[in-house]
Amino acid sequence: MSRSPLITRTVPALRRAVDNLRKRKATVALVPTMGALHDGHVSLVRLAKRRASRVVVSIFVNPTQFAPTEDFGAYPRTWKTDIAKLAAEDVDIVWHPGVEAMYPEGFATRVVPEGPALAGLEDRFRPHFFGGVATVVGKLFTQCRPDVAIFGEKDFQQLRVVTQMARDLDLGVKVIGSRTVREPDGLAMSSRNVYLSPEERQTSTTLYRAMKDSARRIQAGEAIASAMARGAEMIEAAGFALD
Ligand code: PAF
């Protein structure tokens, strides 16, 4: 039978709950999320359960990683179904702070990641993004003080950024990557897939086919640049504007 996780909304309440687990010699895994949970998140929780005896899932749509032109207001929020999914996975604690708990008035400190955060990938198009992610993940780590934290490989640059930050700042958290979970036709599961029109949803599968095709070519000995150029052609021919 599934039981509802304990829901905490303030840092002292979260700390008390985690301390109680620790008193019982538990090891703790944190799965940071922005909610709108899908099977990809469920796979993160399942990996967390294999790596620690207790699991905390944070649900916080983090305003500092959205540019003013992005979808902070529209980002899907599905609280009730999220909690039902976490209960079914027997998650112990949900950390669900409000914006005022995370960024109280007068908040004035930000983490500015370098290294993998400046690789010229997503950072080129979303310059605000990794600073916002590193700041909130740094806070989540110090609020919860988990032994391990699980992040999806889908956001590969993010995974590299938080791994580097945990190491550089001696946060005492082992960051573990988890394989991407895909729809049967290859589209990576993502909370934002709900934005796709039926036509876009159909076209989206080209992305995975192009990646597989490029990987196959590279494995067969083709030069990386040429395999990537072929992949880019496939994606653009399907109607994508390539970043
Ligand atoms: O990947 C996400 O959902 C977010 O970027 C994260 C890691 C929860 C930080 O807000």
Side-chain angles (χ1 to χ4, degrees), residues 77-108:
R77 288 159 171 89
T78 56
W79 173 253
K80 275 198 179 146
T81 52
D82 288 354
I83 295 301
K85 283 180 186 168
L86 298 178
E89 295 303 316
D90 213 15
V91 163
D92 298 279
I93 300 173
V94 171
W95 169 219
H96 183 50
V99 174
E100 62 302 334
M102 204 52 124
Y103 300 113
E105 222 186 296
F107 183 88

mmCIF file of all heavy atoms in Angstrom, residues 77-108:
data_model
loop_
_atom_site.group_PDB
_atom_site.id
_atom_site.type_symbol
_atom_site.label_atom_id
_atom_site.label_comp_id
_atom_site.label_asym_id
_atom_site.label_seq_id
_atom_site.Cartn_x
_atom_site.Cartn_y
_atom_site.Cartn_z
ATOM 1 N N ARG A 77 2.085 22.884 -13.889
ATOM 2 C CA ARG A 77 2.083 22.605 -12.438
ATOM 3 C C ARG A 77 0.973 21.590 -12.177
ATOM 4 O O ARG A 77 -0.194 21.872 -12.446
ATOM 5 C CB ARG A 77 1.871 23.900 -11.646
ATOM 6 C CG ARG A 77 3.107 24.831 -11.664
ATOM 7 C CD ARG A 77 2.740 26.262 -11.340
ATOM 8 N NE ARG A 77 3.894 27.153 -11.147
ATOM 9 C CZ ARG A 77 4.514 27.842 -12.116
ATOM 10 N NH1 ARG A 77 4.135 27.714 -13.370
ATOM 11 N NH2 ARG A 77 5.530 28.637 -11.829
ATOM 12 N N THR A 78 1.352 20.407 -11.693
ATOM 13 C CA THR A 78 0.395 19.289 -11.575
ATOM 14 C C THR A 78 0.545 18.653 -10.190
ATOM 15 O O THR A 78 0.806 17.455 -10.073
ATOM 16 C CB THR A 78 0.676 18.249 -12.692
ATOM 17 O OG1 THR A 78 2.051 17.820 -12.593
ATOM 18 C CG2 THR A 78 0.465 18.810 -14.089
ATOM 19 N N TRP A 79 0.369 19.475 -9.171
ATOM 20 C CA TRP A 79 0.679 19.096 -7.791
ATOM 21 C C TRP A 79 0.039 17.779 -7.371
ATOM 22 O O TRP A 79 0.718 16.873 -6.873
ATOM 23 C CB TRP A 79 0.277 20.246 -6.868
ATOM 24 C CG TRP A 79 0.395 19.929 -5.424
ATOM 25 C CD1 TRP A 79 -0.621 19.691 -4.546
ATOM 26 C CD2 TRP A 79 1.604 19.801 -4.667
ATOM 27 N NE1 TRP A 79 -0.122 19.422 -3.297
ATOM 28 C CE2 TRP A 79 1.241 19.483 -3.341
ATOM 29 C CE3 TRP A 79 2.970 19.912 -4.985
ATOM 30 C CZ2 TRP A 79 2.189 19.284 -2.331
ATOM 31 C CZ3 TRP A 79 3.906 19.707 -3.971
ATOM 32 C CH2 TRP A 79 3.504 19.395 -2.670
ATOM 33 N N LYS A 80 -1.300 17.659 -7.589
ATOM 34 C CA LYS A 80 -1.994 16.470 -7.050
ATOM 35 C C LYS A 80 -1.472 15.181 -7.678
ATOM 36 O O LYS A 80 -1.216 14.199 -6.978
ATOM 37 C CB LYS A 80 -3.499 16.591 -7.307
ATOM 38 C CG LYS A 80 -4.190 17.377 -6.237
ATOM 39 C CD LYS A 80 -5.686 17.122 -6.264
ATOM 40 C CE LYS A 80 -6.338 17.929 -5.158
ATOM 41 N NZ LYS A 80 -7.664 18.401 -5.538
ATOM 42 N N THR A 81 -1.331 15.190 -8.994
ATOM 43 C CA THR A 81 -0.842 13.952 -9.635
ATOM 44 C C THR A 81 0.630 13.713 -9.283
ATOM 45 O O THR A 81 1.069 12.566 -9.161
ATOM 46 C CB THR A 81 -1.041 13.948 -11.165
ATOM 47 O OG1 THR A 81 -0.478 15.141 -11.676
ATOM 48 C CG2 THR A 81 -2.489 13.870 -11.564
ATOM 49 N N ASP A 82 1.382 14.790 -9.084
ATOM 50 C CA ASP A 82 2.788 14.615 -8.675
ATOM 51 C C ASP A 82 2.852 13.861 -7.346
ATOM 52 O O ASP A 82 3.623 12.911 -7.193
ATOM 53 C CB ASP A 82 3.484 15.974 -8.495
ATOM 54 C CG ASP A 82 3.760 16.686 -9.808
ATOM 55 O OD1 ASP A 82 3.520 16.072 -10.873
ATOM 56 O OD2 ASP A 82 4.191 17.842 -9.773
ATOM 57 N N ILE A 83 2.038 14.309 -6.388
ATOM 58 C CA ILE A 83 2.093 13.689 -5.059
ATOM 59 C C ILE A 83 1.622 12.231 -5.138
ATOM 60 O O ILE A 83 2.209 11.345 -4.497
ATOM 61 C CB ILE A 83 1.250 14.505 -4.034
ATOM 62 C CG1 ILE A 83 1.872 15.889 -3.859
ATOM 63 C CG2 ILE A 83 1.145 13.779 -2.685
ATOM 64 C CD1 ILE A 83 3.321 15.890 -3.380
ATOM 65 N N ALA A 84 0.604 11.974 -5.966
ATOM 66 C CA ALA A 84 0.133 10.586 -6.107
ATOM 67 C C ALA A 84 1.257 9.714 -6.671
ATOM 68 O O ALA A 84 1.482 8.583 -6.204
ATOM 69 C CB ALA A 84 -1.098 10.548 -7.011
ATOM 70 N N LYS A 85 1.986 10.246 -7.656
ATOM 71 C CA LYS A 85 3.086 9.458 -8.245
ATOM 72 C C LYS A 85 4.183 9.205 -7.210
ATOM 73 O O LYS A 85 4.747 8.114 -7.135
ATOM 74 C CB LYS A 85 3.695 10.195 -9.443
ATOM 75 C CG LYS A 85 2.826 10.100 -10.676
ATOM 76 C CD LYS A 85 3.427 10.824 -11.852
ATOM 77 C CE LYS A 85 2.403 10.800 -12.989
ATOM 78 N NZ LYS A 85 2.702 11.683 -14.081
ATOM 79 N N LEU A 86 4.479 10.206 -6.401
ATOM 80 C CA LEU A 86 5.552 10.046 -5.406
ATOM 81 C C LEU A 86 5.113 9.099 -4.291
ATOM 82 O O LEU A 86 5.920 8.322 -3.769
ATOM 83 C CB LEU A 86 5.975 11.413 -4.852
ATOM 84 C CG LEU A 86 6.545 12.361 -5.924
ATOM 85 C CD1 LEU A 86 6.901 13.713 -5.318
ATOM 86 C CD2 LEU A 86 7.764 11.750 -6.618
ATOM 87 N N ALA A 87 3.821 9.151 -3.956
ATOM 88 C CA ALA A 87 3.302 8.215 -2.947
ATOM 89 C C ALA A 87 3.421 6.785 -3.476
ATOM 90 O O ALA A 87 3.841 5.872 -2.746
ATOM 91 C CB ALA A 87 1.850 8.548 -2.624
ATOM 92 N N ALA A 88 3.090 6.595 -4.747
ATOM 93 C CA ALA A 88 3.166 5.246 -5.337
ATOM 94 C C ALA A 88 4.604 4.729 -5.322
ATOM 95 O O ALA A 88 4.829 3.510 -5.293
ATOM 96 C CB ALA A 88 2.610 5.261 -6.755
ATOM 97 N N GLU A 89 5.571 5.648 -5.364
ATOM 98 C CA GLU A 89 6.990 5.229 -5.334
ATOM 99 C C GLU A 89 7.533 5.180 -3.911
ATOM 100 O O GLU A 89 8.720 4.968 -3.700
ATOM 101 C CB GLU A 89 7.848 6.187 -6.175
ATOM 102 C CG GLU A 89 7.532 6.173 -7.658
ATOM 103 C CD GLU A 89 7.661 4.792 -8.283
ATOM 104 O OE1 GLU A 89 8.637 4.093 -7.984
ATOM 105 O OE2 GLU A 89 6.764 4.420 -9.067
ATOM 106 N N ASP A 90 6.655 5.461 -2.928
ATOM 107 C CA ASP A 90 7.062 5.374 -1.527
ATOM 108 C C ASP A 90 8.161 6.376 -1.165
ATOM 109 O O ASP A 90 9.089 6.068 -0.404
ATOM 110 C CB ASP A 90 7.545 3.939 -1.253
ATOM 111 C CG ASP A 90 7.220 3.518 0.158
ATOM 112 O OD1 ASP A 90 6.403 4.203 0.792
ATOM 113 O OD2 ASP A 90 7.824 2.533 0.621
ATOM 114 N N VAL A 91 8.044 7.575 -1.729
ATOM 115 C CA VAL A 91 9.003 8.648 -1.411
ATOM 116 C C VAL A 91 8.760 9.109 0.019
ATOM 117 O O VAL A 91 7.626 9.161 0.485
ATOM 118 C CB VAL A 91 8.817 9.808 -2.424
ATOM 119 C CG1 VAL A 91 9.447 11.100 -1.943
ATOM 120 C CG2 VAL A 91 9.386 9.389 -3.774
ATOM 121 N N ASP A 92 9.816 9.427 0.747
ATOM 122 C CA ASP A 92 9.679 9.756 2.167
ATOM 123 C C ASP A 92 9.272 11.208 2.404
ATOM 124 O O ASP A 92 8.378 11.484 3.198
ATOM 125 C CB ASP A 92 11.018 9.470 2.874
ATOM 126 C CG ASP A 92 11.350 7.991 2.772
ATOM 127 O OD1 ASP A 92 10.816 7.224 3.570
ATOM 128 O OD2 ASP A 92 12.089 7.585 1.835
ATOM 129 N N ILE A 93 9.963 12.134 1.716
ATOM 130 C CA ILE A 93 9.732 13.557 1.995
ATOM 131 C C ILE A 93 9.625 14.313 0.671
ATOM 132 O O ILE A 93 10.402 14.064 -0.268
ATOM 133 C CB ILE A 93 10.905 14.160 2.807
ATOM 134 C CG1 ILE A 93 11.065 13.440 4.147
ATOM 135 C CG2 ILE A 93 10.713 15.663 3.030
ATOM 136 C CD1 ILE A 93 12.310 13.850 4.935
ATOM 137 N N VAL A 94 8.666 15.233 0.600
ATOM 138 C CA VAL A 94 8.623 16.188 -0.514
ATOM 139 C C VAL A 94 8.996 17.556 0.048
ATOM 140 O O VAL A 94 8.419 18.001 1.041
ATOM 141 C CB VAL A 94 7.222 16.228 -1.159
ATOM 142 C CG1 VAL A 94 7.128 17.372 -2.170
ATOM 143 C CG2 VAL A 94 6.919 14.900 -1.855
ATOM 144 N N TRP A 95 9.978 18.165 -0.578
ATOM 145 C CA TRP A 95 10.413 19.516 -0.171
ATOM 146 C C TRP A 95 9.799 20.490 -1.176
ATOM 147 O O TRP A 95 10.149 20.476 -2.356
ATOM 148 C CB TRP A 95 11.941 19.556 -0.147
ATOM 149 C CG TRP A 95 12.629 20.892 -0.005
ATOM 150 C CD1 TRP A 95 13.765 21.275 -0.661
ATOM 151 C CD2 TRP A 95 12.282 21.991 0.859
ATOM 152 N NE1 TRP A 95 14.137 22.533 -0.271
ATOM 153 C CE2 TRP A 95 13.235 23.005 0.665
ATOM 154 C CE3 TRP A 95 11.245 22.217 1.765
ATOM 155 C CZ2 TRP A 95 13.197 24.223 1.335
ATOM 156 C CZ3 TRP A 95 11.197 23.444 2.433
ATOM 157 C CH2 TRP A 95 12.161 24.416 2.226
ATOM 158 N N HIS A 96 8.852 21.273 -0.682
ATOM 159 C CA HIS A 96 8.076 22.135 -1.594
ATOM 160 C C HIS A 96 8.038 23.558 -1.047
ATOM 161 O O HIS A 96 7.020 24.021 -0.519
ATOM 162 C CB HIS A 96 6.650 21.556 -1.716
ATOM 163 C CG HIS A 96 5.783 22.310 -2.675
ATOM 164 N ND1 HIS A 96 6.169 22.623 -3.958
ATOM 165 C CD2 HIS A 96 4.525 22.816 -2.533
ATOM 166 C CE1 HIS A 96 5.197 23.283 -4.560
ATOM 167 N NE2 HIS A 96 4.187 23.420 -3.719
ATOM 168 N N PRO A 97 9.168 24.276 -1.159
ATOM 169 C CA PRO A 97 9.195 25.638 -0.618
ATOM 170 C C PRO A 97 8.442 26.594 -1.535
ATOM 171 O O PRO A 97 8.352 26.376 -2.746
ATOM 172 C CB PRO A 97 10.695 25.972 -0.631
ATOM 173 C CG PRO A 97 11.253 25.153 -1.753
ATOM 174 C CD PRO A 97 10.428 23.898 -1.812
ATOM 175 N N GLY A 98 7.916 27.666 -0.966
ATOM 176 C CA GLY A 98 7.413 28.767 -1.786
ATOM 177 C C GLY A 98 8.592 29.636 -2.206
ATOM 178 O O GLY A 98 9.703 29.497 -1.668
ATOM 179 N N VAL A 99 8.346 30.536 -3.163
ATOM 180 C CA VAL A 99 9.428 31.418 -3.628
ATOM 181 C C VAL A 99 9.978 32.231 -2.457
ATOM 182 O O VAL A 99 11.188 32.461 -2.341
ATOM 183 C CB VAL A 99 8.914 32.363 -4.749
ATOM 184 C CG1 VAL A 99 9.979 33.387 -5.134
ATOM 185 C CG2 VAL A 99 8.524 31.558 -5.976
ATOM 186 N N GLU A 100 9.083 32.624 -1.503
ATOM 187 C CA GLU A 100 9.544 33.474 -0.382
ATOM 188 C C GLU A 100 10.445 32.686 0.581
ATOM 189 O O GLU A 100 11.287 33.270 1.250
ATOM 190 C CB GLU A 100 8.366 34.140 0.332
ATOM 191 C CG GLU A 100 7.322 33.269 1.012
ATOM 192 C CD GLU A 100 6.594 32.256 0.114
ATOM 193 O OE1 GLU A 100 6.478 32.460 -1.120
ATOM 194 O OE2 GLU A 100 6.132 31.232 0.654
ATOM 195 N N ALA A 101 10.295 31.354 0.614
ATOM 196 C CA ALA A 101 11.185 30.554 1.477
ATOM 197 C C ALA A 101 12.541 30.385 0.800
ATOM 198 O O ALA A 101 13.585 30.324 1.460
ATOM 199 C CB ALA A 101 10.569 29.186 1.761
ATOM 200 N N MET A 102 12.515 30.311 -0.512
ATOM 201 C CA MET A 102 13.764 30.061 -1.246
ATOM 202 C C MET A 102 14.541 31.361 -1.467
ATOM 203 O O MET A 102 15.754 31.403 -1.345
ATOM 204 C CB MET A 102 13.387 29.409 -2.580
ATOM 205 C CG MET A 102 14.456 28.592 -3.199
ATOM 206 S SD MET A 102 15.123 27.387 -2.046
ATOM 207 C CE MET A 102 14.880 25.900 -2.909
ATOM 208 N N TYR A 103 13.818 32.414 -1.817
ATOM 209 C CA TYR A 103 14.457 33.708 -2.091
ATOM 210 C C TYR A 103 13.777 34.786 -1.244
ATOM 211 O O TYR A 103 13.001 35.595 -1.769
ATOM 212 C CB TYR A 103 14.328 34.051 -3.586
ATOM 213 C CG TYR A 103 14.970 33.031 -4.501
ATOM 214 C CD1 TYR A 103 14.196 32.234 -5.352
ATOM 215 C CD2 TYR A 103 16.352 32.852 -4.516
ATOM 216 C CE1 TYR A 103 14.780 31.289 -6.187
ATOM 217 C CE2 TYR A 103 16.945 31.911 -5.350
ATOM 218 C CZ TYR A 103 16.151 31.133 -6.191
ATOM 219 O OH TYR A 103 16.739 30.213 -7.010
ATOM 220 N N PRO A 104 14.040 34.785 0.064
ATOM 221 C CA PRO A 104 13.373 35.776 0.916
ATOM 222 C C PRO A 104 13.801 37.194 0.545
ATOM 223 O O PRO A 104 14.827 37.383 -0.118
ATOM 224 C CB PRO A 104 13.845 35.404 2.323
ATOM 225 C CG PRO A 104 14.992 34.492 2.152
ATOM 226 C CD PRO A 104 14.970 33.930 0.780
ATOM 227 N N GLU A 105 13.028 38.153 0.969
ATOM 228 C CA GLU A 105 13.343 39.550 0.679
ATOM 229 C C GLU A 105 14.778 39.837 1.107
ATOM 230 O O GLU A 105 15.206 39.392 2.182
ATOM 231 C CB GLU A 105 12.384 40.444 1.452
ATOM 232 C CG GLU A 105 11.905 41.600 0.602
ATOM 233 C CD GLU A 105 11.076 42.542 1.419
ATOM 234 O OE1 GLU A 105 10.011 42.094 1.879
ATOM 235 O OE2 GLU A 105 11.534 43.688 1.610
ATOM 236 N N GLY A 106 15.506 40.529 0.266
ATOM 237 C CA GLY A 106 16.892 40.859 0.603
ATOM 238 C C GLY A 106 17.886 39.820 0.097
ATOM 239 O O GLY A 106 19.092 40.015 0.226
ATOM 240 N N PHE A 107 17.388 38.743 -0.476
ATOM 241 C CA PHE A 107 18.292 37.707 -1.023
ATOM 242 C C PHE A 107 19.243 38.362 -2.031
ATOM 243 O O PHE A 107 18.802 39.072 -2.921
ATOM 244 C CB PHE A 107 17.451 36.614 -1.708
ATOM 245 C CG PHE A 107 18.285 35.482 -2.241
ATOM 246 C CD1 PHE A 107 18.593 34.402 -1.428
ATOM 247 C CD2 PHE A 107 18.768 35.501 -3.541
ATOM 248 C CE1 PHE A 107 19.374 33.360 -1.910
ATOM 249 C CE2 PHE A 107 19.549 34.464 -4.029
ATOM 250 C CZ PHE A 107 19.844 33.394 -3.208
ATOM 251 N N ALA A 108 20.552 38.111 -1.885
ATOM 252 C CA ALA A 108 21.494 38.868 -2.725
ATOM 253 C C ALA A 108 22.735 38.075 -3.115
ATOM 254 O O ALA A 108 23.785 38.654 -3.384
ATOM 255 C CB ALA A 108 21.900 40.142 -1.984
#
